[in-house]
Amino acid sequence: MATVVMEQIGRLFINAQQLRQIPQLLESAFPTLPCTVKASDVPWVFREPHILTGYRQPDQSWRYYFLTLFQRHNEALNVWTHLLAALIILVKWQEISETVDFLREPHAQPLFIVLLAAFTYLSCSALAHLLSAKSELSHYTFYFLDYVGVAVYQYGSALAHFYYAIEGDWHTRVQGFFLPAAAFFAWLSCLGCCYGKYASPGLPKFAHKLFQVVPSGLAYCLDISPVVHRIYSCYQQGCSDPAVAYHRYQVLFFLISAYFFSYPHPECWFPGKCDFFGQGHQIFHVFLVLCTLVQVEALRIDFTERRPLYEQLHGDLAHDAIALFIFTACCSALTAFYVRKRVRTALHEKEE
């Protein structure tokens, strides 16, 4: 009996010794990261108005920037909001795929595209905020990737709205130009954002914003028009369509997010107080995520409940729409690649 007890005590002692090693193992796996620095300690391209501290040091290893996912810095919340939202989209995708055959059902393909587009823009945004601090070229590269993701999402949203949310009379008015125009405005948005970023050293801050906001605003006005018309028609008829309620929230959340994207509130009122939490861009991220999630739910309901209407309106349009989606993504990616090449040349000339 005594021998058994001593064996048990010995095992407990060994387990206790192993438990003491856990902090050391964690420390070796996640080494102490360099402290964040002030705005004055990083190149101007990394600085944000009214954000005074919490910047990550440039010219570190890639491993460092990936590990900053678990560090407190002024981009951490921007990374996590879109990273978690991307994971939620994957879960929604899996749930919908249990009842919808995306490969064999042509009318489900626009729903597949908007889910893919949402996941793409959220993932690209998370990568941009996580990895752009490595160098000036990395900063431009990852934000150009972010702009490609935004263009892809703009066209994906336009396609899904046109396919599932549109009413018959609005379809008659816009069917001849809607999708080509949506593709053009999506590409124009990518071009405007990339050029505004590239030319920002010689532009006032408001001009830089104009290159981003105006093309994106034009794209949104077209892309959301089937939804706005649907909401107005429902209001006139006094309908109680559950999808329309989600569409209303989609518009509301987007307008709130657009406001916080365009204006640096509240950090302009409290410089240095919103460096880690409460920045306007963080609020923009939160409301844009809410917009995306309610949009996906609204389109899921429309896909289920409005099948007779969209089958009658669109026929075999889905195949052409997919081709236009791929074309838009390729044009946006080539545009971003070209502007990145210009940035790289400019940076090399500056170093010389």
Side-chain angles (χ1 to χ4, degrees):
M1 183 67 181
T3 303
V4 174
V5 171
M6 292 302 295
E7 286 179 357
Q8 294 295 331
I9 292 174
R11 288 174 184 171
L12 288 174
F13 178 76
I14 292 171
N15 291 337
Q17 291 285 81
Q18 292 172 341
L19 288 173
R20 290 195 191 101
Q21 293 175 1
I22 289 177
Q24 297 176 358
L25 293 173
L26 290 175
E27 186 175 351
S28 62
F30 296 96
T32 302
L33 299 176
C35 297
T36 57
V37 297
K38 297 179 181 178
S40 57
D41 297 322
V42 298
W44 70 267
V45 72
F46 300 118
R47 302 174 192 171
E48 294 295 334
H50 317 294
I51 305 300
L52 307 183
T53 61
Y55 293 90
R56 290 166 293 170
Q57 300 180 28
D59 302 317
Q60 304 293 317
S61 67
W62 285 111
R63 182 170 179 249
Y64 160 73
Y65 294 102
F66 277 107
L67 288 176
T68 59
L69 184 64
F70 307 102
Q71 185 187 30
R72 182 174 177 263
H73 54 84
N74 59 25
E75 291 281 19
L77 196 57
N78 290 325
V79 176
W80 278 105
T81 47
H82 278 183
L83 181 60
L84 292 176
L87 296 175
I88 293 172
I89 291 294
L90 283 181
V91 172
K92 294 289 293 183
W93 202 339
Q94 192 276 331
E95 289 178 355
I96 295 173
S97 66
E98 291 179 355
T99 56
V100 177
D101 189 345
F102 288 119
L103 294 178
R104 294 182 178 84
E105 171 57 72
H107 293 294
Q109 290 169 0
L111 184 60
F112 175 85
I113 285 178
V114 76
L115 288 167
L116 175 63
F119 178 78
T120 299
Y121 101 82
L122 291 166
S123 302
C124 290
S125 174
L127 282 174
H129 288 286
L130 181 64
L131 302 177
S132 63
K134 179 173 173 56
S135 67
E136 290 190 48
L137 182 60
S138 295
H139 181 84
Y140 286 104
T141 300
F142 282 104
Y143 276 105
F144 290 168
L145 178 66
D146 186 18
Y147 302 148
V148 173
V150 170
V152 165
Y153 177 61
Q154 286 175 342
Y155 177 79
S157 294
L159 171 60
H161 293 160
F162 179 74
Y163 209 91
Y164 301 121
I166 201 166
E167 295 286 352
D169 53 343
W170 190 252
H171 178 269
T172 302
R173 297 180 191 179
V174 302
Q175 63 176 327
F177 66 87
F178 186 90
L179 289 180
F184 172 75
F185 281 129
W187 169 80
L188 185 66
S189 174
C190 180
L191 174 64
C193 290
C194 289
Y195 179 78
K197 192 77 170 174
Y198 163 68
S200 57
L203 293 175
K205 190 67 179 178
F206 78 91
H208 172 214
K209 278 291 184 184
L210 284 178
F211 277 106
Q212 294 180 315
V213 172
V214 172
S216 297
L218 292 173
Y220 183 74
C221 288
L222 177 68
D223 300 348
I224 203 65
S225 62
V227 172
V228 173
H229 179 266
R230 169 100 171 273
I231 293 171
Y232 178 71
S233 300
C234 183
Y235 173 77
Q236 280 192 319
Q237 298 166 9
C239 73
S240 57
D241 189 339
V244 172
Y246 283 105
H247 282 306
R248 288 196 192 103
Y249 282 117
Q250 176 198 167
V251 175
L252 175 63
F253 290 150
F254 180 85
L255 293 176
I256 296 173
S257 71
Y259 172 82
F260 282 102
F261 177 81
S262 303
Y263 298 99
H265 297 158
E267 62 265 27
C268 66
W269 301 324
F270 312 102
K273 303 297 184 183
C274 303
D275 292 350
F276 297 96
F277 182 79
Q279 301 170 28
H281 198 82
Q282 294 169 349
I283 301 172
F284 156 70
H285 269 222
V286 170
F287 278 99
L288 189 59
V289 164
L290 292 174
C291 169
T292 302
L293 295 179
V294 297
Q295 175 199 39
V296 168
E297 183 60 23
L299 293 171
R300 185 193 65 78
I301 296 173
D302 285 339
F303 171 77
T304 303
E305 302 296 333
R306 309 188 89 212
R307 178 177 288 270
L309 177 60
Y310 62 71
E311 285 183 346
Q312 174 189 347
L313 291 177
H314 301 306
D316 59 353
L317 173 69
H319 299 294
D320 297 334
I322 290 174
L324 193 55
F325 171 77
I326 296 171
F327 179 73
T328 304
C330 291
C331 288
S332 299
L334 289 172
T335 300
F337 179 78
Y338 172 75
V339 182
R340 180 191 180 274
K341 188 177 179 180
R342 296 285 300 270
V343 168
R344 187 174 184 178
T345 301
L347 291 175
H348 284 169
E349 291 176 355
K350 186 175 72 170
E351 290 173 0
E352 294 174 357

